[in-house]
Amino acid sequence: MTSTPGSAGPTAATTPPPPDPAERVRRFSGAERWVHRTTATLMLLCVASAACLYVPQLAELVGRRHLVVTVHEWSGVLTPVPFLAGLLSRAFRADLSRLNRFGPHDRQWLRAVWRRDHRPEARPAGKFNAGQKLYAAWIAGAVLVMTGTGALMWFTGVAQLMWRTSATFVHDWLALAIGIVLAGHMAMALADPEARRGMRTGSVERHWARSQHALWGEDRAGSRSPGPVRRTRAGVTTPDAAPRGVAETPE
């Protein structure tokens, strides 16, 4: 092929090749990402509308209190719906099974966090680390409590005044706790771009998966939990049954 004058200009710079798909591994299915995004949207609506109801400055700025109350009530009622719809997905159910298992390596991960040991080999994790498992359990319980107390506050005729007063107290203070925990969750997500990319695109770099979730290959739904991690002579930490690779999430 012959070149034309000026073809060696700035546009002739070498373009880096696209990343090799083999270097990425599937982490979340489309259904799981939909559940996460929809639940996050509904919870943010709940928190934002609650702030507009309880913070005087925001209430004056937004106005239209009846509309804000309606948005808060219905976003709260709909928050569990994405989770229930996600149960139709085999990948979602498999990850729920992973989140519900807490093994010796998770205790080792928590001890490393307590000691502020940030070395990857000191924090062994399957597909989900111990912090993610605790967060998932806490937020699931909080949603149930918020839904129950919110229903008592919404339908004032179904409960006694004492019950409604107690429900209001629990609802308000738990809402504050949820706001703080969600802020921490988002801060940790902002600090880990590859984790965010995994939730956005469904896949992560294989190197990141092996570094941050070294036991992922052993942490499959229906299999036994990985044992405690031990250090080899080569300085590599492995579980009692070393993983042969990072398992891909089924569709």
Side-chain angles (χ1 to χ4, degrees), residues 54-228:
Y54 286 94
V55 180
Q57 293 80 359
L58 291 177
E60 293 177 2
L61 179 64
V62 175
R64 306 193 66 177
R65 181 178 177 84
H66 178 71
L67 175 61
V68 176
V69 169
T70 301
V71 170
H72 183 74
E73 290 172 342
W74 282 104
S75 57
V77 169
L78 294 175
T79 296
V81 173
F83 172 87
L84 297 175
L87 294 176
L88 298 175
S89 166
R90 184 164 61 94
F92 184 73
R93 296 195 303 271
D95 276 352
L96 284 181
S97 177
R98 293 183 177 97
L99 286 168
N100 286 331
R101 292 202 307 272
F102 204 89
H105 64 290
D106 293 312
R107 289 188 284 273
Q108 183 176 347
W109 190 95
L110 291 173
R111 286 194 295 268
V113 171
W114 180 261
R115 296 192 302 266
R116 296 186 179 182
D117 188 345
H118 296 280
R119 296 174 301 154
E121 60 269 20
R123 298 187 178 190
K127 185 174 183 179
F128 302 104
N129 61 45
Q132 292 168 327
K133 293 178 180 180
L134 291 176
Y135 170 79
W138 188 89
I139 204 69
V143 167
L144 289 176
V145 174
M146 293 295 284
T147 302
T149 55
L152 289 177
M153 296 165 61
W154 190 359
F155 302 103
T156 56
V158 300
Q160 301 176 0
L161 177 61
M162 183 181 67
W163 288 19
R164 298 199 305 272
T165 303
S166 302
T168 302
F169 178 84
V170 173
H171 195 88
D172 291 351
W173 283 103
L174 185 55
L176 178 61
I178 289 176
I180 295 173
V181 171
L182 284 179
H185 177 69
M186 291 187 288
M188 295 185 69
L190 289 174
D192 194 340
E194 190 60 28
R196 296 199 314 274
R197 189 175 298 113
M199 184 55 71
R200 187 176 67 253
T201 67
S203 65
V204 294
E205 293 182 355
R206 191 176 297 273
H207 172 74
W208 178 89
R210 288 174 175 169
S211 172
Q212 301 298 321
H213 300 270
L215 307 184
W216 185 353
E218 291 291 318
D219 193 21
R220 301 179 181 179
S223 66
R224 64 177 179 84
S225 298

Side-chain angles (χ1 to χ4, degrees), residues 108 121 124 214-215 227-232 235-243:
Q108 183 176 347
E121 60 269 20
L215 307 184
V229 171
R230 65 174 184 274
R231 182 177 295 277
T232 65
V236 179
T237 55
T238 58
D240 289 342

